[in-house]
Amino acid sequence: MEVYLVNPPVLGVLEPWYDTPSFGRTALAYLAGYLRQYPGFDNTIIDAKFERLNFNQVLERILQLNPNLVGFTAFTNEIKPAAYQAFKVKQVLSETVTVIGGVHVTSLPSQTLEEFPSFDIGVVGEGEISFYELCSALREGKPLGNIPGLVYRMNGEIRQTSQRERILDQDSIPFPAWDLMPKAETYFIQSIRGCPFNCLFCMNPNGKVARKRSVGRVIQEIELIIRSYHPERISFGDELFNVDMKRTHELLDAMIENKIGERVQWDVQTHVDFVDDALFAKFKKANLTRVELGVETGEEKSLKKMGKGTDLEAIKRACDSARNARVKIGTFLLFGQPNETVDSLKKTINLAAKINPELPMFGLMTPYPGTEVARMDANGEGGYRLLTTDWDEYNKQIGGAMEFANLTRRQIEWMQILGYLRVYTHNHRYIDLIKFLWEYRKGAFEVIRKIITGKDKLIELVRKLADYDHVLKRDSPVSINTLITAREKWQIVQQTELKRAKEIKADLML
């Protein structure tokens, strides 16, 4: 069975750090790695973003093999390009099965197939086992109804199967099939799936249980990547790298022993409440390149309501510990908190300037389906008003999916620019500012162009393909009520998995 796995192309390069990445899509590498342990499947991966391919180039590659199945992965802002590419495949390979996976279809399973007829089947939730069982059933001509974690078409109806249980033993998952992709500058290591927090802007697709791989297994994969692909950087994609402090110290000790930091740059992201002086000292000893911290806002009230379980004092303490250990930090800051005002935005900018991170990152709140923000937005809470469910607008740097009661979109975008300038100029880092502006010049230009031209829609900044809108005409757009209930349904899934983990693998619980 010929299986093609595709990360779809972009309509235009607006956010280079996402649209032209220096790394391959980890999810596809994991799916291929899992599938190929079973005989009878030939896997091919096309990462159009990483390889800088357009829709026609992707189609040409697919036609060369005439696969039985083409599987796409997509975040919310990628779902329409994925559906467009699937349509182009079905135009010429009508018998080829098209499958969509990823966080968007997980949050809106039936609705995704209703909205995009070019997808035959959706894989909902953690995909490795469901995708393998799907491929096996299609190859053998068996029904799909007994396979958990699917949504599919049958007799003119859309049907969804039972919930797929997450893989608690992460060591049972084979290494990603990096060899099926071109060599990259950066490789993402997933040593933990899941995060115990409940941030209102995050769907938390990997669940509230932090499912950890063994230290030995993580080191083995890092060694394999360094030896085989000689990358510049390894980045831990864990939502919360040091959720288990004992394991974290064991992993760092192993990295120090194996001289990982002397052979490759590496970075992590984590929570400010899960760091201390001892950890930063060990980070330094292990030659960590940078630790990225979720700061989010400088408004204490917003922090308390966010579901992140932190406060300003913890943020300052974590950053002070990093400075004392001479560990570089990056900070995620998010404009557009519930009931955001100019005053609260200024507090966030002032906090960022005081912290003075090596890499500040100011994003804009986006109501991704399945998140609490999406529910609030659809319900008109928190000063939010939903502008569109055109998924092309759901970019977190310069998208235009929502507006705010106390601020215009343009005000927030100007404050975003001001935030970057303030961090660098307040701390007299003028050379760093020039380097930053040069590295992110494309994204900065698009933000400024959007503001100056007065264009509220992100899609107006790109040149769409001639038939793009026609192919993706929306006969079944997602309703407001669907966005509200999507959050409620996802919370039930999360609680079910949390209860299951407590019952059968209590050692995962903190």
Side-chain angles (χ1 to χ4, degrees):
M1 184 176 186
E2 293 283 353
V3 177
Y4 242 113
L5 296 170
V6 180
N7 183 23
V10 293
L11 290 176
V13 178
L14 294 174
E15 299 175 310
W17 45 95
Y18 300 120
D19 297 336
T20 55
S22 62
F23 50 87
R25 183 63 67 90
T26 309
L28 298 184
Y30 263 112
L31 287 176
Y34 193 90
L35 189 60
R36 72 176 176 185
Q37 67 182 323
Y38 300 98
F41 299 103
D42 290 329
N43 301 313
T44 302
I45 295 176
I46 304 177
D47 191 333
K49 286 187 176 182
F50 177 56
E51 297 184 58
R52 318 303 191 241
L53 302 175
N54 61 35
F55 294 96
N56 286 332
Q57 290 169 325
V58 170
L59 183 60
E60 288 172 4
R61 284 207 197 175
I62 292 173
L63 292 178
Q64 289 173 6
L65 281 185
N66 189 19
N68 306 99
L69 181 149
V70 179
F72 298 88
T73 187
F75 295 113
T76 292
N77 63 302
E78 301 167 328
I79 193 68
K80 288 179 67 178
Y84 179 82
Q85 187 74 75
F87 175 85
K88 291 299 183 181
V89 171
K90 298 291 274 189
Q91 268 189 320
V92 289
L93 300 174
S94 59
E95 298 302 314
T96 295
V97 177
T98 53
V99 180
I100 180 65
V103 67
H104 185 83
V105 70
T106 295
S107 62
L108 298 171
S110 298
Q111 294 79 9
T112 299
L113 264 61
E114 289 174 2
E115 188 173 5
F116 302 111
S118 56
F119 296 132
D120 297 317
I121 303 170
V123 174
V124 180
E126 198 163 55
E128 285 90 352
I129 298 176
S130 296
F131 188 67
Y132 159 64
E133 292 181 356
L134 166 63
C135 290
S136 295
L138 292 174
R139 185 181 61 180
E140 298 165 14
K142 293 182 178 180
L144 304 181
N146 293 325
I147 301 174
L150 298 183
V151 58
Y152 63 100
R153 305 179 193 279
M154 186 173 182
N155 299 327
E157 297 180 353
I158 294 175
R159 302 184 181 185
Q160 185 172 354
T161 64
S162 60
Q163 176 184 331
R164 166 66 66 182
E165 295 178 343
R166 295 189 178 105
I167 303 170
L168 297 181
D169 180 9
Q170 289 290 293
D171 280 354
S172 68
I173 303 175
F175 290 155
W178 296 121
D179 57 297
L180 298 183
M181 307 173 79
K183 288 186 178 181
E185 294 178 6
T186 301
Y187 285 83
F188 272 82
I189 294 285
Q190 197 75 34
S191 84
I192 297 173
R193 290 185 185 181
C195 172
F197 292 100
N198 198 32
C199 299
L200 56 85
F201 54 83
C202 178
M203 181 183 167
N204 196 354
N206 286 322
K208 294 176 67 63
V209 179
R211 296 164 292 141
K212 296 155 284 191
R213 294 166 65 192
S214 66
V215 168
R217 189 76 171 155
V218 174
I219 294 297
Q220 188 180 355
E221 184 182 354
I222 292 174
E223 289 286 0
L224 174 65
I225 290 173
I226 292 175
R227 183 173 63 252
S228 302
Y229 308 113
H230 312 289
E232 294 181 10
R233 181 172 72 111
I234 285 177
S235 185
F236 281 83
D238 307 350
E239 293 95 330
L240 210 169
F241 173 76
N242 49 314
V243 64
D244 181 338
M245 193 66 82
K246 180 176 181 294
R247 172 188 176 275
T248 301
H249 279 281
E250 291 174 356
L251 177 56
L252 292 176
D253 287 340
M255 294 182 75
I256 292 168
E257 181 181 351
N258 288 276
K259 296 181 169 48
I260 301 297
E262 296 177 22
R263 293 184 285 157
V264 68
Q265 299 179 50
W266 68 282
D267 56 63
V268 303
Q269 57 183 359
T270 193
H271 192 288
V272 295
D273 282 354
F274 283 73
V275 292
D276 54 26
D277 291 343
L279 182 65
F280 276 117
K282 192 160 286 185
F283 274 149
K284 184 65 177 178
K285 187 176 181 182
N287 288 309
L288 174 77
T289 305
R290 185 174 66 236
V291 58
E292 295 171 349
L293 301 170
V295 172
E296 316 307 350
T297 179
E299 174 64 68
E300 190 80 70
K301 291 186 295 184
S302 295
L303 281 172
K304 290 180 179 178
K305 296 176 181 178
M306 190 179 295
K308 203 173 184 70
T310 191
D311 54 31
L312 291 176
E313 185 58 37
I315 291 170
K316 294 173 183 175
R317 185 170 58 247
C319 294
D320 286 344
S321 290
R323 291 281 176 246
N324 292 337
R326 290 177 292 128
V327 171
K328 293 181 179 180
I329 61 173
T331 54
F332 298 107
L333 303 118
L334 192 57
F335 287 173
Q337 302 293 336
N339 300 304
E340 189 86 271
T341 64
V342 170
D343 183 60
S344 62
L345 286 176
K346 288 180 179 177
K347 288 180 180 179
T348 299
I349 292 173
N350 289 339
L351 176 64
K354 183 174 182 180
I355 292 172
N356 189 23
E358 276 73 18
L359 180 61
M361 291 163 279
F362 292 93
L364 301 182
M365 187 70 81
T366 305
Y368 294 116
T371 66
E372 178 63 9
V373 164
R375 187 202 65 78
M376 295 173 67
D377 189 22
N379 220 25
E381 300 174 14
Y384 295 139
R385 187 170 77 87
L386 182 66
L387 294 178
T388 182
T389 55
D390 180 348
W391 310 121
D392 283 334
E393 292 295 325
Y394 280 61
N395 288 57
K396 67 179 179 179
Q397 293 294 330
I398 55 177
M402 64 194 294
E403 67 177 10
F404 313 91
N406 301 312
L407 297 156
T408 66
R409 187 80 186 185
R410 200 144 288 111
Q411 278 180 298
I412 290 186
E413 289 166 346
W414 276 120
M415 294 291 279
Q416 185 184 20
I417 294 172
L418 176 63
Y420 286 112
L421 294 175
R422 179 77 192 286
V423 170
Y424 289 107
T425 59
H426 176 79
N427 294 288
H428 308 291
R429 294 168 54 196
Y430 302 108
I431 294 177
D432 287 344
L433 175 60
I434 293 171
K435 290 179 180 178
F436 176 85
L437 291 174
W438 177 253
E439 183 174 356
Y440 296 101
R441 59 193 180 278
K442 174 64 176 176
F445 171 77
E446 296 299 348
V447 172
I448 294 171
R449 181 160 72 103
K450 186 170 183 283
I451 295 171
I452 292 175
T453 59
K455 292 181 177 179
D456 292 324
K457 292 186 176 181
L458 178 69
I459 199 64
E460 294 175 353
L461 300 177
V462 301
R463 183 179 297 175
K464 291 188 289 185
L465 296 116
D467 61 343
Y468 185 79
D469 287 333
H470 175 72
V471 166
L472 300 174
K473 59 182 183 297
R474 312 182 80 202
D475 295 328
S476 302
V478 172
S479 68
I480 296 297
N481 187 61
T482 296
L483 291 175
I484 294 171
T485 58
R487 174 61 176 175
E488 297 168 356
K489 292 176 181 178
W490 184 243
Q491 288 293 82
I492 294 172
V493 171
Q494 298 285 61
Q495 291 303 317
T496 301
E497 278 292 292
L498 187 61
K499 180 181 178 181
R500 170 176 168 261
K502 287 180 179 179
E503 291 174 349
I504 67 176
K505 202 166 177 60
D507 60 304
L508 287 175
M509 310 311 296
L510 298 176

